[in-house]
Amino acid sequence: MKIFSFLLLALFAGLTGKEPKLVQTKLVDGISIGLPKDFYVMADDDIATKYPSTKKPLAMYTNIDRMVDFGLNVTKSRIPGTDLSVIKDFYKATILQTYDKVTFIQDTILPVNGKRLIAFEIVSTSEGTKKYSFIQYALVNGFIYIFNYTAPENLKAQWQPVARASMNTVHIEPKKLYDVEPANPKEPVLRGKDAKEVLKDQNARKKKTK
């Protein structure tokens, strides 16, 4: 994977004449990623305005222009099952339902520093606004950790190589993540339907609306 990281950086250098300047950054105990050196922690007010939710992200960063964002989230409860292909299908269906139109650049499972991560690289349209996103999902200790780069679609050419290189530096140490998980890992609680059942229900609802 170190060779793959080098090739990504070399490709970026060939296209732009310079390498993306990434700084390995600790997001929470047990998770780090190489972020562009000018990224800084997003203010709570900005998070509430741009990403309104009842659950605050574990980490949220933005660039100097506040146009490109990176965030880390985690599911509230444990995810039943460990089949990444089923989990990938579930999240792909969720993405398709979230936006008016989605073009998938990547839809795969990638090896990153010893772990297999679900990866979606997309261009989405919602209410006339186009965005570029690179999203990775990591299954750790039964929880899904979600890494997400987001930028306006017109900045895709500039930020796509950076996002790809950055996402390849994700480093996860499962034993250190116990302190940031939203539930006691020694007492797993399985809530609701598993990913396969939810995906089946979503497909059934689509058929009814046709």
Side-chain angles (χ1 to χ4, degrees):
M1 292 312 302
K2 289 183 178 179
I3 295 176
F4 183 66
S5 297
F6 174 79
L7 291 175
L8 278 176
L9 295 177
L11 174 63
F12 183 87
L15 293 174
T16 66
K18 61 181 180 180
E19 294 183 0
K21 298 183 183 298
L22 303 178
V23 178
Q24 199 68 16
T25 304
K26 175 182 172 181
L27 303 176
V28 295
D29 286 340
I31 296 181
S32 66
I33 186 173
L35 292 177
K37 69 173 188 175
D38 65 342
F39 270 39
Y40 64 93
V41 176
M42 187 181 292
D44 287 346
D45 288 345
D46 283 348
I47 294 175
T49 300
K50 296 182 74 173
Y51 304 100
S53 173
T54 57
K55 185 174 181 295
K56 184 179 178 181
L58 292 179
M60 185 64 71
Y61 289 77
T62 190
N63 72 330
I64 291 177
D65 298 329
R66 298 163 70 185
M67 297 291 290
V68 183
D69 302 331
F70 168 81
L72 171 66
N73 288 274
V74 62
T75 51
K76 292 182 179 180
S77 58
R78 286 181 179 272
I79 302 297
T82 58
D83 189 335
L84 286 185
S85 62
V86 172
I87 296 172
K88 181 171 79 70
D89 289 345
F90 167 73
Y91 279 108
K92 181 175 182 178
T94 300
I95 289 172
L96 287 169
Q97 289 185 334
T98 300
Y99 302 102
D100 299 332
K101 180 181 178 182
V102 181
T103 300
F104 286 88
I105 302 168
Q106 285 196 74
D107 170 6
T108 188
I109 296 175
L110 298 172
V112 180
N113 293 320
K115 288 198 64 67
R116 295 172 68 236
L117 304 186
I118 298 167
F120 293 118
E121 190 177 7
I122 66 172
V123 173
S124 63
T125 304
S126 181
E127 297 181 352
T129 300
K130 287 188 175 182
K131 289 185 178 181
Y132 162 76
S133 300
F134 193 146
I135 314 165
Q136 286 189 160
Y137 301 83
L139 176 61
V140 188
N141 303 333
F143 295 93
I144 297 291
Y145 289 82
I146 306 164
F147 304 78
N148 189 0
Y149 265 96
T150 304
E153 192 274 338
N154 65 327
L155 297 180
K156 171 179 169 289
Q158 176 184 348
W159 284 96
Q160 183 181 47
V162 179
R164 287 180 172 182
S166 175
M167 285 295 210
N168 199 52
T169 67
V170 170
H171 186 72
I172 300 172
E173 299 178 76
K175 291 183 179 179
K176 293 185 178 182
L177 280 172
Y178 290 148
D179 292 338
V180 299
E181 289 174 355
N184 187 341
K186 296 180 181 179
E187 300 177 3
V189 179
L190 304 182
R191 302 174 183 171
K193 301 176 182 179
D194 64 21
K196 189 178 292 184
E197 290 174 313
V198 173
L199 187 60
K200 183 178 179 181
D201 287 347
Q202 288 177 344
N203 291 333
R205 285 196 297 271
K206 284 183 179 179
K207 290 180 181 179
K208 288 181 180 180
T209 57
K210 288 182 179 180

